[in-house]
Amino acid sequence: MTDPQAIQPSELDQLPDRDPEETAEWQASLDAVAKAAGPHRAAYLMRRTLERAEGTGIALPKLLETDYVNTIPTAAEPSVPGDEEMERRITAWNRWNAAAMVTRGSKYGVGGHIATFASAAWLYETGFNHFFKGKEADGSGDQLYIQGHASPGIYARAFLDGRLNEAHLDNFRQEAGGNGLPSYPHPRRLPWLWEFPTVSMGLGPLSAIYQARFNRYLTNRGIKDVSASHVWAFLGDGEMDEPESTAALALASREGLDNLTFVINCNLQRLDGPVRANFKIVQELEAQFRGAGWNVVKTLWGTAWDELFQLDTTGALVRRLREVPDAQVQTYQTRDAAYIRQDFFGKDPALVEMAKLLSDDKILECFHLSRGGHEARKVYAAYKAAVEFKGAPTVILAQTVKGHTLGEGFASKNANHQMKKLSVDEFKAMRDLLDLPIKDSDFVDGVVPYGHPGADSPEVRYLQERRAALGGPAPARRVHPVAPLPAPAEKAFASFDKGSGSQNVATTMAFVRLIKDLVRDKETGKRWVPIVPDEARTFGMESLFPSLGIYSPKGQTYEPVDRDQLMYYKEAENGQILNEGITEAGSMADFIAASTAYSTHGEAMIPFYIFYSMFGWQRTADQMWQLGDQLGRGFLVGATAGRTTLTGEGLQHADGHSPVIAATNPAALTYDPAFAYEVATIVKDGLRRMYGEAAPGEDPNVFYYLTVYNEPLPQPAKPAGLGIDEGIVKGLYRFNTAESAGLSPVANAPRIQLLGSGTAIHWVLQAQKLLAEEWGVAADVWSATSWTELRRDALEADAALLRGEERTPYVRQALQGAEGPVLAVSDYMRQVPDQIAQWVEQDYSSLGADGFGLSDTREAARRHFGVDAQSIVVAALAQLAKQGEVKATAVKEAREKYGL
């Protein structure tokens, strides 16, 4: 393995050496010490020497930094294969059309971003022409995480190669008509082009790391060999401020993900101003990535700087570059040669003399235009070094100018991220700079024209030939023709129908037991991807360790402390479980990679990610939105759910709101099952819909969120009768009546309908008994498996009515004819059951656990929130009293009797 922290010899060649013979003597001395006393002694002496240098004030880069120069010097750069002039013309067309598209759209006020792609054009074009493998390449091709604000440039290139037309470009950010282009990479909106949504900044780099890791997982498990696939993540230097951007750097180096390259466009600007005004973001990122074990390639200066470095015989230029803060570099890009001579070169006598040898044009060329990220040769060298480096991931730090080629009004201006258009005169200046054959007469009524050299032009033929050689168009998303997975044996699901008898079983345990059976299925078992954030034992999953193994690319290089136990901690190179440590964000990134493998790799995988429900949607809801954008499929399982079920855990662990957050995600099907057979029925239907034969009108690109509980209780048998499974899936069915429960109060007794979800149904059943035995009230009990799905169905019915179609919401159908008022109860805030209130014809009220959680016993917590059985009785009597079905005094009597 190559040491990613080792300074490559080519780096040193960039620096001036006034006495090569002395340098050779120092190197020989180091070699002699290493040979005579060993490498550890040599390392010790080097460390002490560096410490002494730092202590005496000698200006040295920090140990994790190199000088502010290119990692690969000009002399070591490989030649670029292909036709550089042709690629320049292609890039010029892309620059023009990206700017034209956003400018033309600005008259509608839809916005857009121009400056980001202008700075990154060569970073993309070099990759598209020489590196990025398409879907027809070996494995599954490469995975490209495109920087969100650069999307106009990607659309411009797709226009050039014929995948988009002018009508598409004119509908940038105007999607309602059905022929538009989404503002940013959105697979759900443009599923044939975009694979990965990236504009929620910080999620792209995190997802890219786990995608590269999941690629290794698929290969090591023998699912599919995707070792030829490479993951490229294009990021902004300002984006690296997001904590998610660097959250998994150590994972990438620890697992040696040399199938991963970050390309960070260091244009030194955020949305409002400089990224590191008084510091140097490139140096900061270099230290951060080197410290995490990554290979770092800096591509900072263009070829115009070669003359300056050759003149730097004292090292003064390198020292000055190291000390100038980023905001001043940005200022140099906007000032004249006289200012640069004084402010940059005037700080050191040696630089003053150097500047005398430089013309004003040369100075402006260097400081205004010449950046490593703007030259195909520099970028090609960096990319080639990245894909050839083995043993660690690579980050390329490419310096660019934000707004490059857009004119003086754009380049390096603080406001250029918000600037949405160029004037006609600015376009004409840009045309001349890019040498494009666009005539003044093409600007009709002041509207900037799109430019295209022709479908059979040398540029388009070259572009298409290069893509054909690399495996087809890119970026591209393809859903391979994958046959539906066969349904697992019915036995796995039916075993829950008979209930647990007298045995207490929590629904979390029921779910884990179901998974144990499903992963044994000969046809689909290997496709399950269990994901857990270091809480497997909490959820009773440790029994899966020895049978499935925990994935580790190194296998198990140690003897586990519990090896003599039946359920020992087993790691394996082909392990099936992804135990991610204490990282919900990392676990969600894993889930996203696995849930979209059907598209990315043509392999349907069935991920389930089980987590403390409090730490799922609350902590990583943005990634769950990303999951929906990316059309992911699978099961999210919020375990130890509810606000009152975690005895003693208290405020920070008591989830009373995750279904509310989940309800905001259109791709999430949210269920709160009460019983084991409901869990089995929902999972069975989810497998059918997502991986089997979806019914007409059903979208398979959804994911399921199930809340399960850690409270062991007897699991009843599945009620007999038609429509139970349909009710479970749709969200509501009658579990029993007062009569079927053996609770028959007096004839013509007042009647009420009690709806409960999740663990709350057990309090509802207790209340049903109390109402009958102590108050003469008949209560029917309904299990509300999904308040959210009931609401969505009702909303669809409302929309149908507006279209002139007659349709009754399912919740109204189910409750039709049910006598008495309706009282809904859950272990969540009342907002959860209240989702259906407006479609219930009966008098409706609800109980829930609103407010903050607290530490106490389950019973005390439920009494505190007013959701225990006695509180339900009082609420039921109050509803009946309002309707005149019971005496008003009954409510007061019940409160006093139960001490409420």
Side-chain angles (χ1 to χ4, degrees):
M1 172 177 169
T2 308
D3 182 0
Q5 295 190 34
I7 298 178
Q8 305 301 313
S10 58
E11 282 181 326
L12 302 179
D13 295 340
Q14 186 78 60
L15 308 179
D17 191 345
R18 290 182 295 176
D19 193 342
E21 184 176 347
E22 182 184 31
T23 302
E25 290 174 357
W26 275 76
Q27 292 172 335
S29 297
L30 181 64
D31 292 342
V33 171
K35 183 177 181 179
H40 295 294
R41 178 61 181 169
Y44 176 84
L45 292 176
M46 284 298 300
R47 176 70 63 178
R48 289 292 176 263
T49 301
L50 289 169
E51 289 174 354
R52 174 57 64 87
E54 184 177 354
T56 56
I58 297 175
L60 285 173
K62 296 178 181 178
L63 293 178
L64 293 176
E65 296 178 13
T66 59
D67 280 301
Y68 203 67
V69 297
N70 294 349
T71 302
I72 304 170
T74 302
E77 291 169 358
S79 58
V80 180
D83 188 333
E84 288 191 61
E85 173 56 24
M86 188 67 71
E87 293 177 22
R88 185 201 65 77
R89 298 209 298 269
I90 292 171
T91 305
W93 286 116
N94 292 341
R95 288 181 182 279
W96 177 272
N97 288 320
M101 175 176 58
V102 176
T103 297
R104 287 167 68 125
S106 66
K107 67 181 179 181
Y108 301 110
V110 295
H113 301 286
I114 304 177
T116 294
F117 177 73
S119 68
W122 276 111
L123 301 179
Y124 290 108
E125 193 60 37
T126 303
F128 284 132
N129 287 323
H130 302 287
F131 293 94
F132 304 157
K133 295 186 287 291
K135 295 301 181 184
E136 304 304 323
D138 292 341
S140 304
D142 288 354
Q143 289 82 55
L144 307 180
Y145 288 77
I146 304 295
Q147 191 178 1
H149 293 130
S151 62
I154 307 305
Y155 291 140
R157 198 173 200 276
F159 169 66
L160 204 64
D161 73 8
R163 293 198 289 166
L164 294 175
N165 56 39
E166 288 193 13
H168 288 116
L169 301 192
D170 266 345
N171 283 291
F172 174 60
R173 291 192 168 196
Q174 299 173 72
E175 300 177 75
N179 195 36
L181 300 178
S183 51
Y184 304 119
H186 281 298
R188 187 168 286 276
R189 291 297 183 217
L190 203 60
W192 60 267
L193 180 72
W194 298 119
E195 276 196 287
F196 308 108
T198 54
V199 84
S200 186
M201 288 188 285
L203 299 190
L206 179 67
S207 292
I209 290 173
Y210 280 89
Q211 181 66 59
R213 197 283 195 91
F214 190 74
N215 290 357
R216 291 281 173 85
Y217 173 89
L218 285 179
T219 300
N220 289 342
R221 287 198 55 216
I223 302 293
K224 182 179 182 179
D225 184 0
V226 294
S227 55
S229 293
H230 200 89
V231 177
W232 300 82
F234 287 83
L235 317 168
D237 47 358
E239 181 177 4
M240 301 311 292
D241 287 346
E242 290 283 4
E244 295 89 351
S245 295
T246 55
L249 298 186
L251 168 72
S253 60
R254 184 169 65 245
E255 299 202 1
L257 298 181
D258 49 26
N259 61 338
L260 170 67
T261 297
F262 276 15
V263 181
I264 302 182
N265 178 15
C266 298
N267 58 34
L268 313 185
Q269 289 184 245
R270 288 199 193 102
L271 279 61
D272 287 334
V275 178
R276 293 291 184 273
N278 296 296
F279 306 93
K280 302 188 79 64
I281 185 60
V282 168
Q283 300 299 86
E284 179 182 319
L285 291 175
E286 178 184 28
Q288 194 168 15
F289 278 87
R290 283 190 186 277
W294 287 52
N295 175 44
V296 179
V297 177
K298 295 197 295 192
T299 302
L300 308 180
W301 308 111
T303 53
W305 283 81
D306 289 349
E307 179 183 343
L308 275 67
F309 285 121
Q310 290 171 3
L311 294 172
D312 183 27
T313 58
T314 65
L317 177 62
V318 173
R319 290 194 299 272
R320 182 70 179 131
L321 289 173
R322 193 165 66 231
E323 68 187 21
V324 176
D326 284 351
Q328 192 63 24
V329 173
Q330 182 186 350
T331 298
Y332 292 149
Q333 293 161 1
T334 64
R335 298 301 176 88
D336 59 20
Y339 178 89
I340 298 171
R341 285 182 187 276
Q342 178 180 354
D343 192 87
F344 181 84
F345 292 99
K347 303 296 184 181
D348 187 295
L351 294 180
V352 172
E353 295 302 313
M354 178 189 295
K356 292 178 181 178
L357 304 175
L358 304 174
S359 67
D360 285 355
D361 286 345
K362 181 66 177 181
I363 289 176
L364 293 179
E365 180 186 14
C366 288
F367 284 84
H368 285 193
L369 302 174
S370 187
R371 297 292 182 272
H374 295 324
E375 296 187 12
R377 180 170 178 169
K378 303 293 185 184
V379 177
Y380 180 87
Y383 286 7
K384 189 171 187 293
V387 297
E388 292 178 353
F389 192 88
K390 301 303 177 185
T394 293
V395 60
I396 295 168
L397 304 175
Q399 186 165 256
T400 65
V401 176
K402 192 165 186 177
H404 183 58
T405 74
L406 297 181
E408 294 182 1
F410 260 86
S412 292
K413 292 301 194 309
N414 278 340
N416 60 18
H417 189 81
Q418 280 72 34
M419 296 162 68
K420 312 300 182 188
K421 59 184 178 180
L422 278 71
S423 68
V424 169
D425 288 342
E426 287 172 324
F427 266 109
K428 290 178 179 178
M430 180 183 177
R431 170 201 61 190
D432 296 340
L433 175 65
L434 298 177
D435 192 24
L436 290 172
I438 296 173
K439 302 185 293 293
D440 285 356
S441 59
D442 293 334
F443 291 81
V444 179
D445 296 328
V447 177
V448 58
Y450 293 121
H452 200 292
D456 196 40
S457 64
E459 291 94 331
V460 173
R461 288 201 306 271
Y462 180 89
L463 182 157
Q464 293 175 341
E465 288 168 2
R466 291 306 308 142
R467 288 312 316 157
L470 287 166
R477 180 181 181 273
R478 183 171 301 173
V479 178
H480 302 259
V482 179
L485 295 182
E490 180 64 26
K491 180 181 178 182
F493 306 103
S495 63
F496 295 92
D497 290 352
K498 62 179 181 287
S500 65
S502 60
Q503 182 183 5
N504 289 334
V505 177
T507 50
T508 299
M509 296 301 100
F511 176 81
V512 172
R513 179 185 147 192
L514 174 62
I515 295 300
K516 287 180 183 178
D517 291 339
L518 293 176
V519 296
R520 295 193 192 104
D521 186 85
K522 292 181 180 180
E523 296 290 335
T524 60
K526 68 178 182 179
R527 298 193 175 275
W528 284 88
V529 183
I531 302 168
V532 60
D534 198 39
E535 287 279 8
R537 298 181 193 279
T538 300
F539 309 135
M541 292 175 58
E542 63 268 30
S543 61
L544 297 178
F545 290 168
S547 58
L548 300 184
I550 299 165
Y551 173 73
S552 168
K554 290 185 175 294
Q556 194 155 36
T557 61
Y558 61 93
E559 182 178 356
V561 68
D562 54 358
R563 182 62 183 86
D564 58 340
Q565 298 177 16
L566 182 63
M567 293 184 287
Y568 70 97
Y569 194 84
K570 177 186 175 183
E571 295 188 83
E573 189 175 352
N574 64 346
Q576 193 164 349
I577 301 170
L578 292 173
N579 192 322
E580 292 302 1
I582 306 174
T583 168
E584 287 82 7
S587 299
M588 268 306 302
D590 252 336
F591 186 89
I592 292 170
S595 70
T596 53
Y598 73 92
S599 170
T600 309
H601 296 298
E603 296 287 344
M605 305 300 289
I606 312 171
F608 79 87
Y609 165 34
I610 187 167
F611 50 88
Y612 258 105
S613 68
M614 184 69 165
F615 306 140
W617 286 88
Q618 175 170 295
R619 185 167 289 182
T620 57
D622 194 14
Q623 287 177 286
M624 288 154 178
W625 196 267
Q626 178 190 14
L627 168 65
D629 268 354
Q630 203 165 316
L631 289 78
R633 306 170 183 174
F635 297 95
L636 297 176
V637 183
T640 60
R643 182 144 280 166
T644 69
T645 61
L646 274 171
T647 53
E649 289 286 0
L651 172 66
Q652 292 182 334
H653 288 65
D655 170 25
H657 53 279
S658 69
V660 177
I661 307 174
T664 66
N665 191 311
L669 276 61
T670 304
Y671 287 90
D672 187 24
F675 306 122
Y677 67 80
E678 293 179 353
V679 172
T681 301
I682 293 165
V683 171
K684 178 183 176 181
D685 193 70
L687 290 172
R688 176 200 60 79
R689 176 170 177 171
M690 295 185 291
Y691 300 97
E693 297 285 356
E698 277 187 330
D699 183 3
N701 299 316
V702 295
F703 60 93
Y704 283 65
Y705 175 52
L706 280 71
T707 49
V708 292
Y709 297 83
N710 71 328
E711 187 171 10
L713 292 164
Q715 295 295 324
K718 190 176 188 177
L722 298 175
I724 297 298
D725 284 0
E726 179 189 25
I728 292 172
V729 172
K730 288 191 171 182
L732 183 69
Y733 69 96
R734 184 155 50 192
F735 177 73
N736 69 20
T737 64
E739 290 74 18
S740 66
L743 303 170
S744 301
V746 297
N748 301 318
R751 186 172 290 270
I752 189 168
Q753 308 299 315
L754 300 179
L755 280 56
S757 69
T759 196
I761 199 136
H762 298 284
W763 326 325
V764 168
L765 289 168
Q766 294 171 30
Q768 179 191 38
K769 185 176 181 181
L770 291 174
L771 282 167
E773 294 178 350
E774 300 183 8
W775 303 98
V777 172
D780 300 335
V781 172
W782 300 71
S783 179
T785 53
S786 180
W787 309 101
T788 302
E789 287 307 295
L790 292 173
R791 175 179 174 81
R792 286 179 178 167
D793 172 81
L795 289 172
E796 290 171 7
D798 285 355
L801 285 173
L802 292 175
R803 297 192 299 266
E805 304 170 18
E806 288 295 328
R807 182 176 159 193
T808 303
Y810 174 78
V811 64
R812 187 169 294 169
Q813 294 177 43
L815 291 170
Q816 189 171 15
E819 297 178 35
V822 171
L823 175 61
V825 188
S826 84
D827 201 20
Y828 296 94
M829 56 197 303
R830 290 176 60 181
Q831 188 174 341
V832 175
D834 284 351
Q835 290 180 85
I836 67 170
Q838 71 186 82
W839 293 280
V840 176
E841 292 181 315
Q842 295 88 340
D843 181 57
Y844 185 92
S845 65
S846 64
L847 295 175
D850 285 77
F852 290 109
L854 75 165
S855 300
D856 214 311
T857 64
R858 293 185 179 117
E859 294 75 16
R862 286 161 190 168
R863 175 56 61 92
H864 170 80
F865 287 110
V867 292
D868 60 345
Q870 291 79 8
S871 298
I872 295 171
V873 169
V874 173
L877 293 174
Q879 269 190 286
L880 291 168
K882 187 169 63 173
Q883 294 188 346
E885 294 294 321
V886 301
K887 295 179 180 179
T889 56
V891 180
K892 180 181 179 183
E893 291 173 15
R895 281 202 304 266
E896 293 175 350
K897 178 174 183 177
Y898 299 133
L900 296 177

